[in-house]
Amino acid sequence: MNEEKLFEIVSRVFNIPINEINYESNPENIENWDSFTGYVLLDEIEINFDVKLTMDESLEIEKIGDFINILKKKGINFE
Amino acid sequence: MEFIKNMEIKQLSHYMNEAKMIKPENHKNKIRIAFVGSFTLNGFEETMQVQCNDEKINCITYNSPYNQFNQEILNEDSNLYKFKPDLIFLIIDSRIILEDSFYFSNINSEDEKKKFTSKKFDEINNLIKIISKKSQSKIVITNFTIPTYTSLGIYESKIEYGTKEIILDLNKKLKVLSKNIDSCYVYDFNSFVTKFGEKNVIDYKKMYYGDIKINFDIIPHLIYEFLSYVKPILGLNKKCIVLDLDNTLWGNIIGEEGIEGIKIGPYPEGRSFVEFQKVIKSLSENGIILAINSKNNQKDAMKAINEHPHMILREQDFSCMKINWNDKISNMKEISNELNIGLDSIVFFDDDPVNRELIRMSMPEINTIELPEDPSTYAEILRNLNDFNTLKITKDDTERKKMYNQEQNRQKLESNTENLNEYLKKLDIKIKIKLDNKIAISRISQLILKTNQFNLTTKRYQEEQIKEFVEDETMIVGCSEVEDKFGENGITNVFIIKTKSNEWIIDTFLLSCRIMGRGIEEGIVGKILEIAKQKGIEKITATFIPTEKNKPAENFLKNYGFKKENENWVFLLKNKIKIPDHLQVELK
C-alpha cells in the first residue's frame, strides 16, 4: 500500500505512468528527474509520509529504492 | 496549513506538470515575464505560466541564469534584454545583499553600518536605473525580509541600527526609489513572509542543498500575488463588486427579522460583517464601484442600509442597487448596462451557493467568489483577491463613484425627457481637448489599457511608450475632458495620431464607456478634422479593428462620413466637417 502511495507521488511529480516506475527508477531512466524535480519529489514524499529526511539521507538518494530503504528505517511499512 | 487549503492554489508539482500541457498562443492577452534572482527560482516560470493560463492570459517567461542578476542587468546584450520582457521580477534576498552583515552586523560602528547600507542601496538603485534605461519593462523588486532572529535577541531594541533596522532602512529607501521611477514597483515580500510565516517559507535543508529560499508549497502563493501586477498591465483588473444583502452584508434575513434582527455591529456575530463592509468600503475609496443584487423588499433593505446604526456601507456608497424579486441574472444584466461595465469587470459576492452556481453557469465572465458558510472568513477572502490592484490610482479613480452617481441623475433626466436631441441639449456638454499633455499620461495609459467597447483599434500601450509618443514630433497624443450640467467626467477620451506631410493617420481613438451615446465621439473627431484642416492636411485615415467587445464603435467611422478605402476608412478634408450642435468643443 505504501509502495503504491510512493509510486503515485513519483508518477505525479515526474508526470509518468505508474507502471513505468520501479525500485531501480533513477535520473538516468526518468527524463523529468533533474536536480530540481528531485527536490520536489523529496518534498512531496516528506509531506505525504509525514517524515523528515536528514541532509545526509537526502544526498544519498540515487534511485527510488533508496527512498524505500530510508522510509523503512523511519518505521514505514513496505511489506 | 489550514489557511492555504482555503484558496484554490495547488501544489508546485501540479503547476510543473500543467505547464507542459499549455497550448501556446491560445489567448488574446499576452505578456512576457522575466524572473531575475539571487537564488534558485525554479518552478516560478511554470507556476506563472499556468496561473496566467487559468486567467486566460498567454504568458511567456524567462528565468535568468542562477544568481547572475548583476551580469544580466549590466550587460546590454544579455538574454534578459533580448527576451524583451513586459514585466521583470527582481528577487534578491537579504542574505545576499547584506553579506556577512546579515550575521555579524554588531561588530561595526553605527557610522560604518550606515555607510555600508548606503553602498548596498546604491548598487540596487543602479541596477534598477539601468533596467529602466535599457528596457521598457515594468520592474517589480521584492523588498528585503527582516529576519526573526538576530544575535542580540531582546537587546536588539536598545542598540542603534541593528540588523533589523538596517533592513528596514533599505526597504524604506527602496520605497522612495519606486516613487521616483514610474516603471518601478516594490513588492512587499517582507509582509508576504509575515503572512505565511518564516518557518513555513524557509526550509533550511532546501536552502543548503539547492539554494532554494522559498519553500515549494509557498511558491504558488507568491506567484498568485505576483499576478496582481500582471492583471492591471493587461487591463484585467476588476472594477465593480456586486453584493447580495442577507447573510452577505449582514447576518440574518431582513425581510423576516426586521432591522432589529439583522446581525451587524460590535458583538461576535456582528463583527464579521462590520469588518467585511469596512474592507469593501476601503476598496470603493480607491475607485472600485459597488452595486447590490438582492432578492428583497426594497423598502426593508433600504431601511437597514440607511438607518441601521452599525452599517458601514450606506446608500451613497452604491452606484447601482437592484433590490427586488426579479431573478439575479436579469438584475446582473441591468447592473452591467446601467454602470456601463462589462461582466468581466465584476466580482460577485453571495452567500447562497445556488445563486453563485446560477451566475457562474450563465455569466462565467463574472468572478463569482466561493464563500464558505462562516462569515468570519469573508473579509479575509476579499483581502486575498488579486483582482483589484492598479498600477496607478488616478484622481479619476477616487472620484469615479461621484461620477457614476451623476450618471444616475443623467439617466433620470433622460427618462424624463421624451426626445433624445432635447435631452442632449439639456445636458449642456462641454468638451476640452488637450494635446501632448504630459500630466495626463497616467490616465491616458489607463484608458488605453482598459477601454474595450468604444475603441477603434484596441492597441494597448504602456505608459513608457506613450511618453515616447508625446516626445515624438510626428505623433499627436490627445485626450478630452468632458463635463456637463451634472458634473465633470474627467479624461474620458484618448486619441493618438501619426502625422505625415499631408495625411494624418488615427492610430488610436477610444471613448470611456461612461460617456458613450451622447455624440461626444463625433464632436471630438470633428474637432480633430478641423485642426488638421487648419494645418493644411488633406486627408485623415482611420482603421477599425474588430474585437469581441468593440461593437459599439463598429459603425462610427462610416456614420461620420469616412469612406472605405481597402482596409482603411478615409475622410478627405475638402468635405464638410460636422460637429453636433449640442456640444461645445474647444482645444485647450
PDB file of all heavy atoms in Angstrom, chain A residues 12-13 15 32 36-37 39-40 42-44 46 52-55 58, chain B residues 11-13 16-17 20 42-43 203 205-206 208-210 212 215-216:
ATOM      1  N   ARG A  12       3.166  11.454 -10.172  1.00  0.00           N
ATOM      2  CA  ARG A  12       2.631  12.809 -10.251  1.00  0.00           C
ATOM      3  C   ARG A  12       3.755  13.828 -10.458  1.00  0.00           C
ATOM      4  O   ARG A  12       3.674  14.697 -11.317  1.00  0.00           O
ATOM      5  CB  ARG A  12       1.863  13.119  -8.967  1.00  0.00           C
ATOM      6  CG  ARG A  12       1.152  14.449  -8.990  1.00  0.00           C
ATOM      7  CD  ARG A  12       0.238  14.605  -7.791  1.00  0.00           C
ATOM      8  NE  ARG A  12       0.987  14.882  -6.583  1.00  0.00           N
ATOM      9  CZ  ARG A  12       0.931  14.134  -5.474  1.00  0.00           C
ATOM     10  NH1 ARG A  12       0.165  13.064  -5.419  1.00  0.00           N
ATOM     11  NH2 ARG A  12       1.648  14.455  -4.421  1.00  0.00           N
ATOM     12  N   VAL A  13       4.828  13.673  -9.705  1.00  0.00           N
ATOM     13  CA  VAL A  13       5.902  14.667  -9.777  1.00  0.00           C
ATOM     14  C   VAL A  13       6.593  14.627 -11.142  1.00  0.00           C
ATOM     15  O   VAL A  13       6.876  15.661 -11.737  1.00  0.00           O
ATOM     16  CB  VAL A  13       6.921  14.450  -8.636  1.00  0.00           C
ATOM     17  CG1 VAL A  13       8.163  15.320  -8.846  1.00  0.00           C
ATOM     18  CG2 VAL A  13       6.281  14.780  -7.301  1.00  0.00           C
ATOM     19  N   ASN A  15       5.325  13.157 -13.833  1.00  0.00           N
ATOM     20  CA  ASN A  15       4.354  13.109 -14.916  1.00  0.00           C
ATOM     21  C   ASN A  15       4.577  11.891 -15.821  1.00  0.00           C
ATOM     22  O   ASN A  15       4.659  12.015 -17.043  1.00  0.00           O
ATOM     23  CB  ASN A  15       4.452  14.420 -15.720  1.00  0.00           C
ATOM     24  CG  ASN A  15       3.162  14.737 -16.449  1.00  0.00           C
ATOM     25  OD1 ASN A  15       2.110  14.178 -16.123  1.00  0.00           O
ATOM     26  ND2 ASN A  15       3.240  15.617 -17.429  1.00  0.00           N
ATOM     27  N   ASN A  32      12.224  13.382 -16.691  1.00  0.00           N
ATOM     28  CA  ASN A  32      11.937  14.619 -15.958  1.00  0.00           C
ATOM     29  C   ASN A  32      12.690  14.752 -14.635  1.00  0.00           C
ATOM     30  O   ASN A  32      12.543  15.731 -13.930  1.00  0.00           O
ATOM     31  CB  ASN A  32      10.444  14.725 -15.659  1.00  0.00           C
ATOM     32  CG  ASN A  32       9.663  15.087 -16.906  1.00  0.00           C
ATOM     33  OD1 ASN A  32      10.225  15.647 -17.842  1.00  0.00           O
ATOM     34  ND2 ASN A  32       8.383  14.758 -16.930  1.00  0.00           N
ATOM     35  N   PHE A  36      16.296  19.773  -9.718  1.00  0.00           N
ATOM     36  CA  PHE A  36      15.192  20.490  -9.082  1.00  0.00           C
ATOM     37  C   PHE A  36      13.983  19.592  -8.832  1.00  0.00           C
ATOM     38  O   PHE A  36      13.448  19.559  -7.724  1.00  0.00           O
ATOM     39  CB  PHE A  36      14.789  21.717  -9.900  1.00  0.00           C
ATOM     40  CG  PHE A  36      13.762  22.558  -9.212  1.00  0.00           C
ATOM     41  CD1 PHE A  36      14.103  23.335  -8.115  1.00  0.00           C
ATOM     42  CD2 PHE A  36      12.436  22.546  -9.630  1.00  0.00           C
ATOM     43  CE1 PHE A  36      13.150  24.091  -7.442  1.00  0.00           C
ATOM     44  CE2 PHE A  36      11.477  23.296  -8.959  1.00  0.00           C
ATOM     45  CZ  PHE A  36      11.839  24.073  -7.876  1.00  0.00           C
ATOM     46  N   THR A  37      13.556  18.842  -9.875  1.00  0.00           N
ATOM     47  CA  THR A  37      12.375  17.983  -9.658  1.00  0.00           C
ATOM     48  C   THR A  37      12.701  16.900  -8.621  1.00  0.00           C
ATOM     49  O   THR A  37      11.815  16.417  -7.932  1.00  0.00           O
ATOM     50  CB  THR A  37      11.886  17.331 -10.967  1.00  0.00           C
ATOM     51  OG1 THR A  37      12.992  16.665 -11.573  1.00  0.00           O
ATOM     52  CG2 THR A  37      11.336  18.363 -11.930  1.00  0.00           C
ATOM     53  N   TYR A  39      14.330  17.511  -5.902  1.00  0.00           N
ATOM     54  CA  TYR A  39      13.978  18.165  -4.634  1.00  0.00           C
ATOM     55  C   TYR A  39      12.464  18.185  -4.434  1.00  0.00           C
ATOM     56  O   TYR A  39      11.967  18.028  -3.327  1.00  0.00           O
ATOM     57  CB  TYR A  39      14.469  19.626  -4.606  1.00  0.00           C
ATOM     58  CG  TYR A  39      15.959  19.799  -4.761  1.00  0.00           C
ATOM     59  CD1 TYR A  39      16.458  20.916  -5.441  1.00  0.00           C
ATOM     60  CD2 TYR A  39      16.860  18.890  -4.219  1.00  0.00           C
ATOM     61  CE1 TYR A  39      17.820  21.110  -5.590  1.00  0.00           C
ATOM     62  CE2 TYR A  39      18.226  19.074  -4.369  1.00  0.00           C
ATOM     63  CZ  TYR A  39      18.703  20.182  -5.053  1.00  0.00           C
ATOM     64  OH  TYR A  39      20.031  20.380  -5.199  1.00  0.00           O
ATOM     65  N   VAL A  40      11.736  18.426  -5.534  1.00  0.00           N
ATOM     66  CA  VAL A  40      10.269  18.467  -5.425  1.00  0.00           C
ATOM     67  C   VAL A  40       9.758  17.098  -4.981  1.00  0.00           C
ATOM     68  O   VAL A  40       8.891  16.989  -4.109  1.00  0.00           O
ATOM     69  CB  VAL A  40       9.613  18.899  -6.760  1.00  0.00           C
ATOM     70  CG1 VAL A  40       8.089  18.830  -6.660  1.00  0.00           C
ATOM     71  CG2 VAL A  40      10.051  20.315  -7.151  1.00  0.00           C
ATOM     72  N   LEU A  42      11.382  14.799  -3.237  1.00  0.00           N
ATOM     73  CA  LEU A  42      11.740  14.641  -1.829  1.00  0.00           C
ATOM     74  C   LEU A  42      10.739  15.386  -0.938  1.00  0.00           C
ATOM     75  O   LEU A  42      10.248  14.861   0.069  1.00  0.00           O
ATOM     76  CB  LEU A  42      13.159  15.187  -1.619  1.00  0.00           C
ATOM     77  CG  LEU A  42      13.667  15.307  -0.184  1.00  0.00           C
ATOM     78  CD1 LEU A  42      13.662  13.949   0.497  1.00  0.00           C
ATOM     79  CD2 LEU A  42      15.064  15.901  -0.176  1.00  0.00           C
ATOM     80  N   ASP A  43      10.400  16.609  -1.357  1.00  0.00           N
ATOM     81  CA  ASP A  43       9.471  17.439  -0.599  1.00  0.00           C
ATOM     82  C   ASP A  43       8.103  16.764  -0.477  1.00  0.00           C
ATOM     83  O   ASP A  43       7.521  16.685   0.605  1.00  0.00           O
ATOM     84  CB  ASP A  43       9.333  18.788  -1.334  1.00  0.00           C
ATOM     85  CG  ASP A  43       8.603  19.822  -0.508  1.00  0.00           C
ATOM     86  OD1 ASP A  43       9.085  20.132   0.589  1.00  0.00           O
ATOM     87  OD2 ASP A  43       7.550  20.310  -0.964  1.00  0.00           O
ATOM     88  N   GLU A  44       7.602  16.257  -1.616  1.00  0.00           N
ATOM     89  CA  GLU A  44       6.263  15.641  -1.601  1.00  0.00           C
ATOM     90  C   GLU A  44       6.269  14.350  -0.779  1.00  0.00           C
ATOM     91  O   GLU A  44       5.295  14.019  -0.112  1.00  0.00           O
ATOM     92  CB  GLU A  44       5.794  15.375  -3.032  1.00  0.00           C
ATOM     93  CG  GLU A  44       5.678  16.663  -3.837  1.00  0.00           C
ATOM     94  CD  GLU A  44       4.273  16.917  -4.346  1.00  0.00           C
ATOM     95  OE1 GLU A  44       3.437  16.004  -4.278  1.00  0.00           O
ATOM     96  OE2 GLU A  44       4.029  18.046  -4.820  1.00  0.00           O
ATOM     97  N   GLU A  46       8.219  13.766   1.800  1.00  0.00           N
ATOM     98  CA  GLU A  46       8.249  14.180   3.207  1.00  0.00           C
ATOM     99  C   GLU A  46       6.865  14.585   3.694  1.00  0.00           C
ATOM    100  O   GLU A  46       6.441  14.217   4.788  1.00  0.00           O
ATOM    101  CB  GLU A  46       9.221  15.353   3.393  1.00  0.00           C
ATOM    102  CG  GLU A  46      10.674  14.927   3.344  1.00  0.00           C
ATOM    103  CD  GLU A  46      11.633  16.065   3.685  1.00  0.00           C
ATOM    104  OE1 GLU A  46      11.251  17.247   3.500  1.00  0.00           O
ATOM    105  OE2 GLU A  46      12.746  15.791   4.120  1.00  0.00           O
ATOM    106  N   LYS A  52      10.769  13.524   7.975  1.00  0.00           N
ATOM    107  CA  LYS A  52      11.798  14.466   7.536  1.00  0.00           C
ATOM    108  C   LYS A  52      13.067  13.672   7.272  1.00  0.00           C
ATOM    109  O   LYS A  52      13.499  12.892   8.126  1.00  0.00           O
ATOM    110  CB  LYS A  52      12.070  15.516   8.627  1.00  0.00           C
ATOM    111  CG  LYS A  52      11.053  16.659   8.624  1.00  0.00           C
ATOM    112  CD  LYS A  52      11.383  17.649   7.533  1.00  0.00           C
ATOM    113  CE  LYS A  52      10.238  18.666   7.370  1.00  0.00           C
ATOM    114  NZ  LYS A  52      10.341  19.439   6.135  1.00  0.00           N
ATOM    115  N   LEU A  53      13.648  13.841   6.117  1.00  0.00           N
ATOM    116  CA  LEU A  53      14.927  13.205   5.842  1.00  0.00           C
ATOM    117  C   LEU A  53      16.039  14.145   6.289  1.00  0.00           C
ATOM    118  O   LEU A  53      15.906  15.364   6.148  1.00  0.00           O
ATOM    119  CB  LEU A  53      15.071  12.895   4.341  1.00  0.00           C
ATOM    120  CG  LEU A  53      14.489  11.547   3.882  1.00  0.00           C
ATOM    121  CD1 LEU A  53      12.979  11.541   4.030  1.00  0.00           C
ATOM    122  CD2 LEU A  53      14.919  11.245   2.461  1.00  0.00           C
ATOM    123  N   THR A  54      17.104  13.557   6.812  1.00  0.00           N
ATOM    124  CA  THR A  54      18.233  14.420   7.180  1.00  0.00           C
ATOM    125  C   THR A  54      18.949  14.835   5.902  1.00  0.00           C
ATOM    126  O   THR A  54      18.718  14.281   4.824  1.00  0.00           O
ATOM    127  CB  THR A  54      19.241  13.677   8.072  1.00  0.00           C
ATOM    128  OG1 THR A  54      19.810  12.621   7.290  1.00  0.00           O
ATOM    129  CG2 THR A  54      18.568  13.110   9.309  1.00  0.00           C
ATOM    130  N   MET A  55      19.829  15.800   6.056  1.00  0.00           N
ATOM    131  CA  MET A  55      20.609  16.263   4.922  1.00  0.00           C
ATOM    132  C   MET A  55      21.360  15.095   4.268  1.00  0.00           C
ATOM    133  O   MET A  55      21.325  14.921   3.061  1.00  0.00           O
ATOM    134  CB  MET A  55      21.610  17.313   5.431  1.00  0.00           C
ATOM    135  CG  MET A  55      22.232  18.107   4.347  1.00  0.00           C
ATOM    136  SD  MET A  55      20.987  19.242   3.714  1.00  0.00           S
ATOM    137  CE  MET A  55      21.844  19.872   2.351  1.00  0.00           C
ATOM    138  N   SER A  58      19.117  12.785   2.397  1.00  0.00           N
ATOM    139  CA  SER A  58      18.646  13.410   1.157  1.00  0.00           C
ATOM    140  C   SER A  58      19.702  13.286   0.064  1.00  0.00           C
ATOM    141  O   SER A  58      19.386  13.063  -1.101  1.00  0.00           O
ATOM    142  CB  SER A  58      18.355  14.897   1.370  1.00  0.00           C
ATOM    143  OG  SER A  58      17.537  15.090   2.475  1.00  0.00           O
TER     144      SER A  58
ATOM    145  N   GLN B  11      -0.468  22.474  -5.368  1.00  0.00           N
ATOM    146  CA  GLN B  11       0.928  22.124  -5.104  1.00  0.00           C
ATOM    147  C   GLN B  11       1.811  22.499  -6.294  1.00  0.00           C
ATOM    148  O   GLN B  11       1.361  22.509  -7.436  1.00  0.00           O
ATOM    149  CB  GLN B  11       1.033  20.610  -4.903  1.00  0.00           C
ATOM    150  CG  GLN B  11       0.381  20.120  -3.631  1.00  0.00           C
ATOM    151  CD  GLN B  11       1.338  20.210  -2.456  1.00  0.00           C
ATOM    152  OE1 GLN B  11       2.483  19.797  -2.551  1.00  0.00           O
ATOM    153  NE2 GLN B  11       0.880  20.777  -1.364  1.00  0.00           N
ATOM    154  N   LEU B  12       3.076  22.751  -6.020  1.00  0.00           N
ATOM    155  CA  LEU B  12       4.009  23.122  -7.074  1.00  0.00           C
ATOM    156  C   LEU B  12       4.061  22.079  -8.196  1.00  0.00           C
ATOM    157  O   LEU B  12       4.094  22.422  -9.378  1.00  0.00           O
ATOM    158  CB  LEU B  12       5.404  23.333  -6.484  1.00  0.00           C
ATOM    159  CG  LEU B  12       6.468  23.804  -7.472  1.00  0.00           C
ATOM    160  CD1 LEU B  12       6.146  25.207  -7.975  1.00  0.00           C
ATOM    161  CD2 LEU B  12       7.851  23.781  -6.841  1.00  0.00           C
ATOM    162  N   SER B  13       4.019  20.771  -7.825  1.00  0.00           N
ATOM    163  CA  SER B  13       4.146  19.739  -8.866  1.00  0.00           C
ATOM    164  C   SER B  13       2.995  19.820  -9.869  1.00  0.00           C
ATOM    165  O   SER B  13       3.172  19.531 -11.050  1.00  0.00           O
ATOM    166  CB  SER B  13       4.220  18.346  -8.242  1.00  0.00           C
ATOM    167  OG  SER B  13       3.079  18.108  -7.457  1.00  0.00           O
ATOM    168  N   MET B  16       4.095  22.425 -12.308  1.00  0.00           N
ATOM    169  CA  MET B  16       5.226  21.952 -13.114  1.00  0.00           C
ATOM    170  C   MET B  16       4.723  21.064 -14.261  1.00  0.00           C
ATOM    171  O   MET B  16       5.207  21.139 -15.378  1.00  0.00           O
ATOM    172  CB  MET B  16       6.212  21.147 -12.256  1.00  0.00           C
ATOM    173  CG  MET B  16       6.714  21.868 -11.026  1.00  0.00           C
ATOM    174  SD  MET B  16       8.172  22.888 -11.248  1.00  0.00           S
ATOM    175  CE  MET B  16       9.399  21.701 -11.674  1.00  0.00           C
ATOM    176  N   ASN B  17       3.733  20.219 -13.948  1.00  0.00           N
ATOM    177  CA  ASN B  17       3.204  19.322 -14.980  1.00  0.00           C
ATOM    178  C   ASN B  17       2.250  20.019 -15.934  1.00  0.00           C
ATOM    179  O   ASN B  17       2.324  19.824 -17.140  1.00  0.00           O
ATOM    180  CB  ASN B  17       2.500  18.124 -14.330  1.00  0.00           C
ATOM    181  CG  ASN B  17       3.494  17.196 -13.662  1.00  0.00           C
ATOM    182  OD1 ASN B  17       4.625  17.070 -14.140  1.00  0.00           O
ATOM    183  ND2 ASN B  17       3.105  16.588 -12.571  1.00  0.00           N
ATOM    184  N   LYS B  20       3.498  22.005 -19.015  1.00  0.00           N
ATOM    185  CA  LYS B  20       3.873  21.302 -20.252  1.00  0.00           C
ATOM    186  C   LYS B  20       2.689  21.132 -21.193  1.00  0.00           C
ATOM    187  O   LYS B  20       2.859  20.881 -22.381  1.00  0.00           O
ATOM    188  CB  LYS B  20       4.436  19.919 -19.905  1.00  0.00           C
ATOM    189  CG  LYS B  20       5.719  20.009 -19.123  1.00  0.00           C
ATOM    190  CD  LYS B  20       6.325  18.639 -18.893  1.00  0.00           C
ATOM    191  CE  LYS B  20       7.462  18.723 -17.911  1.00  0.00           C
ATOM    192  NZ  LYS B  20       7.147  18.118 -16.595  1.00  0.00           N
ATOM    193  N   ASN B  42      13.657  28.067  -9.724  1.00  0.00           N
ATOM    194  CA  ASN B  42      12.967  27.011 -10.485  1.00  0.00           C
ATOM    195  C   ASN B  42      11.539  26.885  -9.989  1.00  0.00           C
ATOM    196  O   ASN B  42      11.276  27.068  -8.809  1.00  0.00           O
ATOM    197  CB  ASN B  42      13.666  25.668 -10.292  1.00  0.00           C
ATOM    198  CG  ASN B  42      15.023  25.660 -10.934  1.00  0.00           C
ATOM    199  OD1 ASN B  42      15.777  26.606 -10.764  1.00  0.00           O
ATOM    200  ND2 ASN B  42      15.327  24.619 -11.662  1.00  0.00           N
ATOM    201  N   GLY B  43      10.642  26.586 -10.904  1.00  0.00           N
ATOM    202  CA  GLY B  43       9.248  26.439 -10.533  1.00  0.00           C
ATOM    203  C   GLY B  43       8.466  27.733 -10.694  1.00  0.00           C
ATOM    204  O   GLY B  43       7.249  27.710 -10.859  1.00  0.00           O
ATOM    205  N   ASP B 203      12.952  26.581   4.317  1.00  0.00           N
ATOM    206  CA  ASP B 203      13.291  25.232   4.741  1.00  0.00           C
ATOM    207  C   ASP B 203      14.805  25.151   4.589  1.00  0.00           C
ATOM    208  O   ASP B 203      15.322  25.166   3.477  1.00  0.00           O
ATOM    209  CB  ASP B 203      12.555  24.233   3.842  1.00  0.00           C
ATOM    210  CG  ASP B 203      12.969  22.799   4.139  1.00  0.00           C
ATOM    211  OD1 ASP B 203      14.042  22.593   4.726  1.00  0.00           O
ATOM    212  OD2 ASP B 203      12.209  21.885   3.776  1.00  0.00           O
ATOM    213  N   LYS B 205      17.057  22.954   4.947  1.00  0.00           N
ATOM    214  CA  LYS B 205      17.664  21.856   4.194  1.00  0.00           C
ATOM    215  C   LYS B 205      17.662  22.198   2.698  1.00  0.00           C
ATOM    216  O   LYS B 205      18.662  22.055   1.999  1.00  0.00           O
ATOM    217  CB  LYS B 205      16.895  20.565   4.452  1.00  0.00           C
ATOM    218  CG  LYS B 205      17.591  19.349   3.882  1.00  0.00           C
ATOM    219  CD  LYS B 205      16.967  18.056   4.379  1.00  0.00           C
ATOM    220  CE  LYS B 205      15.523  17.949   3.904  1.00  0.00           C
ATOM    221  NZ  LYS B 205      14.802  16.851   4.521  1.00  0.00           N
ATOM    222  N   LYS B 206      16.533  22.715   2.215  1.00  0.00           N
ATOM    223  CA  LYS B 206      16.457  23.083   0.791  1.00  0.00           C
ATOM    224  C   LYS B 206      17.406  24.233   0.492  1.00  0.00           C
ATOM    225  O   LYS B 206      18.003  24.312  -0.585  1.00  0.00           O
ATOM    226  CB  LYS B 206      15.033  23.479   0.411  1.00  0.00           C
ATOM    227  CG  LYS B 206      14.053  22.340   0.450  1.00  0.00           C
ATOM    228  CD  LYS B 206      12.739  22.740  -0.206  1.00  0.00           C
ATOM    229  CE  LYS B 206      11.676  21.669  -0.062  1.00  0.00           C
ATOM    230  NZ  LYS B 206      10.930  21.755   1.216  1.00  0.00           N
ATOM    231  N   TYR B 208      20.242  24.796   1.882  1.00  0.00           N
ATOM    232  CA  TYR B 208      21.633  24.336   1.802  1.00  0.00           C
ATOM    233  C   TYR B 208      21.878  23.461   0.583  1.00  0.00           C
ATOM    234  O   TYR B 208      22.903  23.563  -0.054  1.00  0.00           O
ATOM    235  CB  TYR B 208      22.012  23.574   3.084  1.00  0.00           C
ATOM    236  CG  TYR B 208      21.803  24.386   4.350  1.00  0.00           C
ATOM    237  CD1 TYR B 208      21.405  23.799   5.532  1.00  0.00           C
ATOM    238  CD2 TYR B 208      22.000  25.769   4.328  1.00  0.00           C
ATOM    239  CE1 TYR B 208      21.193  24.558   6.677  1.00  0.00           C
ATOM    240  CE2 TYR B 208      21.780  26.536   5.477  1.00  0.00           C
ATOM    241  CZ  TYR B 208      21.376  25.926   6.639  1.00  0.00           C
ATOM    242  OH  TYR B 208      21.158  26.677   7.754  1.00  0.00           O
ATOM    243  N   TYR B 209      20.948  22.582   0.254  1.00  0.00           N
ATOM    244  CA  TYR B 209      21.286  21.706  -0.878  1.00  0.00           C
ATOM    245  C   TYR B 209      20.948  22.306  -2.231  1.00  0.00           C
ATOM    246  O   TYR B 209      21.527  21.932  -3.218  1.00  0.00           O
ATOM    247  CB  TYR B 209      20.777  20.266  -0.699  1.00  0.00           C
ATOM    248  CG  TYR B 209      19.294  19.978  -0.682  1.00  0.00           C
ATOM    249  CD1 TYR B 209      18.420  20.452  -1.658  1.00  0.00           C
ATOM    250  CD2 TYR B 209      18.759  19.135   0.312  1.00  0.00           C
ATOM    251  CE1 TYR B 209      17.083  20.133  -1.638  1.00  0.00           C
ATOM    252  CE2 TYR B 209      17.413  18.818   0.335  1.00  0.00           C
ATOM    253  CZ  TYR B 209      16.577  19.330  -0.645  1.00  0.00           C
ATOM    254  OH  TYR B 209      15.260  19.018  -0.616  1.00  0.00           O
ATOM    255  N   GLY B 210      20.042  23.235  -2.300  1.00  0.00           N
ATOM    256  CA  GLY B 210      19.713  23.739  -3.640  1.00  0.00           C
ATOM    257  C   GLY B 210      19.619  25.251  -3.750  1.00  0.00           C
ATOM    258  O   GLY B 210      19.183  25.768  -4.768  1.00  0.00           O
ATOM    259  N   ILE B 212      17.488  26.992  -2.431  1.00  0.00           N
ATOM    260  CA  ILE B 212      16.052  27.248  -2.617  1.00  0.00           C
ATOM    261  C   ILE B 212      15.597  28.007  -1.382  1.00  0.00           C
ATOM    262  O   ILE B 212      15.637  27.478  -0.267  1.00  0.00           O
ATOM    263  CB  ILE B 212      15.292  25.912  -2.753  1.00  0.00           C
ATOM    264  CG1 ILE B 212      15.727  25.232  -4.054  1.00  0.00           C
ATOM    265  CG2 ILE B 212      13.787  26.129  -2.717  1.00  0.00           C
ATOM    266  CD1 ILE B 212      15.492  23.747  -4.056  1.00  0.00           C
ATOM    267  N   ASN B 215      10.004  27.942   0.063  1.00  0.00           N
ATOM    268  CA  ASN B 215       9.559  26.558   0.086  1.00  0.00           C
ATOM    269  C   ASN B 215       8.567  26.264  -1.038  1.00  0.00           C
ATOM    270  O   ASN B 215       7.835  27.145  -1.487  1.00  0.00           O
ATOM    271  CB  ASN B 215       8.910  26.277   1.445  1.00  0.00           C
ATOM    272  CG  ASN B 215       9.162  24.853   1.883  1.00  0.00           C
ATOM    273  OD1 ASN B 215       9.500  23.997   1.060  1.00  0.00           O
ATOM    274  ND2 ASN B 215       8.988  24.602   3.163  1.00  0.00           N
ATOM    275  N   PHE B 216       8.557  25.005  -1.482  1.00  0.00           N
ATOM    276  CA  PHE B 216       7.775  24.649  -2.676  1.00  0.00           C
ATOM    277  C   PHE B 216       6.289  24.953  -2.539  1.00  0.00           C
ATOM    278  O   PHE B 216       5.664  25.427  -3.474  1.00  0.00           O
ATOM    279  CB  PHE B 216       7.960  23.170  -3.013  1.00  0.00           C
ATOM    280  CG  PHE B 216       9.370  22.840  -3.404  1.00  0.00           C
ATOM    281  CD1 PHE B 216       9.943  21.629  -3.038  1.00  0.00           C
ATOM    282  CD2 PHE B 216      10.132  23.734  -4.146  1.00  0.00           C
ATOM    283  CE1 PHE B 216      11.246  21.326  -3.406  1.00  0.00           C
ATOM    284  CE2 PHE B 216      11.427  23.439  -4.511  1.00  0.00           C
ATOM    285  CZ  PHE B 216      11.994  22.230  -4.141  1.00  0.00           C
TER     286      PHE B 216
END
